[in-house]
Amino acid sequence: MSYQVIIPAAGQGKRMGAGKNKLLLELNGMPVLIHTLKVFEDDENCDGIILAIHPQDEDAFHALLKKYRIEKVKNLVPGGKERQDSIYNALKTVESEGIILVHDAARPFIQKNRIRRLTETAEKTGAAIIGVPAKDTMKKVRDNAVVETVERSSLWAVQTPQAFRISILLNAYKKAEEDHFIGTDDSSLVERISYPVSMVEGDYENIKLTTPEDLFFAEAILKNRES
Ligand code: CTP
Ligand code: MG
């Protein structure tokens, strides 16, 4: 049941346009980074957090970990150019066997019960991810023209966390490095080594804070949780 988690937090937040790492923005008076870390700090099944950070944020992040008494961060690693590089830097420091989760620092609304279901599935199958069925009609578009309507029932929007047996994720990352392949999530690297990945249904509110309007949704989610 226990797991370790890699949290990539070394982005620039360019699309948020806040002039600093979006993870330092506050929701209810607490930085996004801490909202996310607290979920794992408070999860008894979480054995340790490996945080990938940008050198420019090092002092600020250290101060926050201290202020909010986040004690499970056992390793701070430097981030890389791409999200994938940041995660690989973190993955290389993980020693023991077991289950590793990867969770974006920019998704503060993940809930413990989902983490539990995901981890249980990954323990059985070796690889599991969280996602939600697509709600909108989806079309393939090229040069502003519709190419086709894609069968929606088979489409899911994928989130994090994603959970893997450590050896499987390491193999997937090694192969991606060899092939100079950059994927948009960890599962895509595992899919490339032909390992089957299980899907666990998650929550629509596990949003990633990406652009400024996401902050409005975030405030609404927090308000709803309080009431
Ligand atoms: N991330 C990272 N290292 C990178 C790029 C991203 O650790 N080189 C992290 C981000 O900090 C974030 C997560 O990966 O927690 C998801 O990335 P994204 O939402 O794209 O965040 P940013 O890259 O910061 O935003 P943007 O792409 O708008 O610059
Ligand atoms: Mg990015």
Side-chain angles (χ1 to χ4, degrees):
M1 263 300 251
S2 68
Y3 65 87
Q4 300 174 75
V5 62
I6 292 172
I7 301 193
Q12 305 265 3
K14 287 201 181 113
R15 285 168 289 175
M16 188 61 77
K20 59 178 175 185
N21 191 335
K22 63 189 177 184
L23 303 174
L24 294 169
L25 295 175
E26 294 191 349
L27 294 171
N28 276 3
M30 193 165 81
V32 170
L33 175 74
I34 301 299
H35 279 274
T36 305
L37 289 175
K38 265 189 174 297
V39 176
F40 294 97
E41 181 75 19
D42 296 343
D43 183 358
E44 60 276 15
N45 293 319
C46 178
D47 280 346
I49 300 168
I50 305 117
L51 193 60
I53 65 169
H54 195 287
Q56 80 195 2
D57 294 327
E58 200 171 340
D59 292 345
F61 279 27
H62 268 296
L64 288 174
L65 295 179
K66 201 167 167 209
K67 176 174 175 193
Y68 290 98
R69 293 178 201 200
I70 305 293
E71 285 166 358
K72 284 190 186 169
V73 175
K74 47 180 197 185
N75 227 338
L76 280 164
V77 302
K81 186 166 168 283
E82 306 288 342
R83 176 185 181 276
Q84 187 173 319
D85 303 318
S86 299
I87 293 165
Y88 200 17
N89 286 350
L91 189 59
K92 284 172 181 161
T93 72
V94 178
E95 287 160 32
S96 58
E97 255 308 306
I99 295 292
I100 189 86
L101 265 61
V102 178
H103 182 67
D104 288 330
R107 286 189 197 268
F109 302 118
I110 184 64
Q111 292 191 289
K112 237 166 77 171
N113 59 342
R114 293 295 176 189
I115 298 173
R116 179 186 297 255
R117 280 191 43 212
L118 178 78
T119 312
E120 282 170 358
T121 307
E123 268 181 349
K124 285 189 205 118
T125 68
I129 64 177
I130 281 217
V132 287
K135 288 194 221 178
D136 295 317
T137 296
M138 307 293 259
K139 294 187 196 286
K140 202 169 185 174
V141 175
R142 200 172 295 132
D143 299 328
N144 291 316
V146 173
V147 178
E148 63 172 318
T149 301
V150 187
E151 163 69 14
R152 186 180 57 199
S153 61
S154 64
L155 291 181
W156 287 54
V158 169
Q159 307 171 342
T160 68
Q162 301 191 346
F164 309 92
R165 223 169 271 144
I166 293 172
S167 54
I168 295 170
L169 192 62
L170 257 176
N171 283 341
Y173 265 79
K174 280 182 193 147
K175 185 78 171 72
E177 187 182 40
E178 270 168 39
D179 301 344
H180 304 287
F181 174 85
I182 303 274
T184 52
D185 73 344
D186 302 281
S187 175
S188 62
L189 308 196
V190 173
E191 292 154 37
R192 286 184 79 248
I193 59 167
S194 300
Y195 196 90
V197 179
S198 309
M199 178 64 90
V200 173
E201 188 160 359
D203 298 292
Y204 287 100
E205 69 175 44
N206 180 28
I207 59 169
K208 181 160 75 68
L209 304 180
T210 307
T211 53
E213 60 274 9
D214 292 329
L215 299 175
F216 293 118
F217 300 132
E219 298 287 353
I221 290 166
L222 283 177
K223 217 169 186 174
N224 183 47
R225 283 189 182 179
E226 277 159 17
S227 64

